[in-house]
Amino acid sequence: MITVLTGGTGGAKFVQGLARVVAPRELTLIVNTGDDFTCWNLHISPDLDSVTYALAGMLSRERGWGVEGDTFECLTAMERLGAPAWFRLGDRDLALHITRTGMLQAGATLSEVTRAIAGRMGVQQRVLPMSDQRVETRLTTPLGELAFQEYFVRERYRPDVSAVRFEGAEAARPAPGVLEAIGGADAVLIAPSNPVTSIGPILAVPGIRHALRQTAAPVVAVSPIVGGAAVSGPAAELMRSQGLPASIAGVAQAYGDFLDVLLADLRDEAAASEIVPAGVQVHFAPTIMTTDADKVALAEEALRAAGVGTAAR
């Protein structure tokens, strides 16, 4: 079994590649829910949705989020009525949010809702939220403390960030199946996601980091930093705000207590010596995912780095 910790657009692309080379029953995704928030009284789970849409073949190629070919008539109408419209909810996307919110209000857990929605979309892989309890990523900025989507979407990640915290994490528990998926895996992969705000909330849930330290499976992380800069989004800025260098050394440092192998881009080969003291092996390969072939190639490279290149197919 291959277990993946994932979040963000890079994580969704990586999952698309893995889904092409790993049998569905062998692939488990543990997904960040620190970005979850409420909009129009609807429970939005951006990363869970991106992973589910990606596996269902519905993810927008152009945007990297939401549904391919979606329209935004409801958003326009809501804006005319004075509702907040900075978070772009598509018309087809709304159906998922309405369904999720209704099921949660009826008493289902986020795990139960996620399993039901994925099944209705024909997704055969196992998609797990990191926790059924609410954990909210909060960022300290000159504008005050912002939820992640306020910072990332509404403010377009322009404010400086001096601190990041995960509200509710101390009282949260790993969702059913999360610890078992890590402990029973043949390999654990960390997607090329933001180490601070996409993978950080998962690691903040008590028990998950310990499980990663204890698992017998090799743990391989794909660096989201290429050539000393983030492939997309504010990963580099947020890493610096946490005292981590915006480099592959910083990625290795973020995961250093459980990481076995760092898969980094060929452009960062000269920086390998910086992370040798951390005891982490480094493999280099092209990591930019522009085409479907790129996604498959990176997935195969990550499996090879974990020593399960063909066994998991």
Side-chain angles (χ1 to χ4, degrees):
M1 183 175 74
I2 306 300
T3 297
V4 186
L5 276 59
T6 183
T9 56
K13 287 183 177 181
F14 186 60
V15 167
Q16 285 178 310
L18 285 168
R20 300 281 292 273
V21 298
V22 177
R25 66 182 181 283
E26 295 293 326
L27 186 57
T28 296
L29 298 315
I30 299 171
V31 184
N32 169 44
T33 58
D35 298 3
D36 287 18
F37 75 113
T38 301
C39 181
W40 306 344
N41 294 318
L42 299 173
H43 183 110
I44 315 295
S45 294
D47 286 355
L48 278 175
D49 297 347
S50 290
V51 166
T52 305
Y53 287 145
L55 293 171
M58 299 169 60
L59 186 68
S60 170
R61 287 176 174 271
E62 179 184 0
R63 296 188 302 272
W65 53 267
V67 179
E68 179 78 16
D70 211 348
T71 54
F72 295 87
E73 297 296 331
C74 181
L75 181 77
T76 302
M78 291 293 282
E79 190 172 18
R80 289 196 189 109
L81 292 171
W86 56 265
F87 193 84
R88 295 185 60 76
L89 294 170
D91 297 326
R92 297 174 194 170
D93 194 26
L94 271 173
L96 189 158
H97 305 313
I98 292 168
T99 299
R100 173 190 292 121
T101 302
M103 294 178 73
L104 289 172
Q105 290 176 342
T109 65
L110 187 59
S111 293
E112 293 168 340
V113 174
T114 300
R115 182 168 59 249
I117 288 174
R120 292 171 191 177
M121 290 186 178
V123 172
Q124 299 179 52
Q125 294 84 356
R126 192 160 60 143
V127 181
L128 305 175
M130 64 189 200
S131 177
D132 283 335
Q133 284 75 49
R134 187 76 183 94
V135 176
E136 183 175 347
T137 301
R138 306 284 301 179
L139 302 96
T140 302
T141 78
L143 301 178
E145 191 174 73
L146 302 177
F148 180 77
Q149 296 300 338
E150 293 173 332
Y151 161 76
F152 185 67
V153 180
R154 191 186 71 192
E155 303 299 332
R156 301 181 182 182
Y157 50 93
R158 287 174 296 206
D160 294 334
V161 175
S162 58
V164 179
R165 68 183 182 93
F166 306 113
E167 186 171 288
E170 290 183 1
R173 300 183 300 279
V178 166
L179 298 183
E180 293 80 0
I182 295 172
D186 297 310
V188 178
L189 307 180
I190 312 293
S193 307
N194 187 320
V196 178
T197 54
S198 290
I199 303 300
I202 302 175
L203 301 179
V205 177
I208 293 182
R209 196 157 200 141
H210 178 74
L212 289 164
R213 293 191 196 108
Q214 295 299 312
T215 184
V219 181
V220 177
V222 182
S223 173
I225 299 294
V226 174
V231 176
S232 65
E237 291 83 353
L238 291 176
M239 288 176 68
R240 282 191 286 265
S241 77
Q242 300 307 296
L244 296 169
S247 66
I248 61 172
V251 178
Q253 188 175 334
Y255 306 142
D257 56 325
F258 56 79
L259 186 64
D260 296 304
V261 181
L262 178 66
L263 178 55
D265 194 85
L266 291 168
R267 276 164 277 192
D268 289 301
E269 201 160 3
S273 60
E274 297 177 32
I275 62 175
V276 170
V280 175
Q281 298 179 41
V282 191
H283 287 216
F284 294 96
T287 62
I288 299 295
M289 296 176 285
T290 304
T291 67
D292 287 343
D294 295 335
K295 298 170 188 174
V296 169
L298 184 58
E300 292 178 326
E301 200 65 49
L303 293 171
R304 274 194 290 273
V308 293
T310 57
R313 291 170 185 258

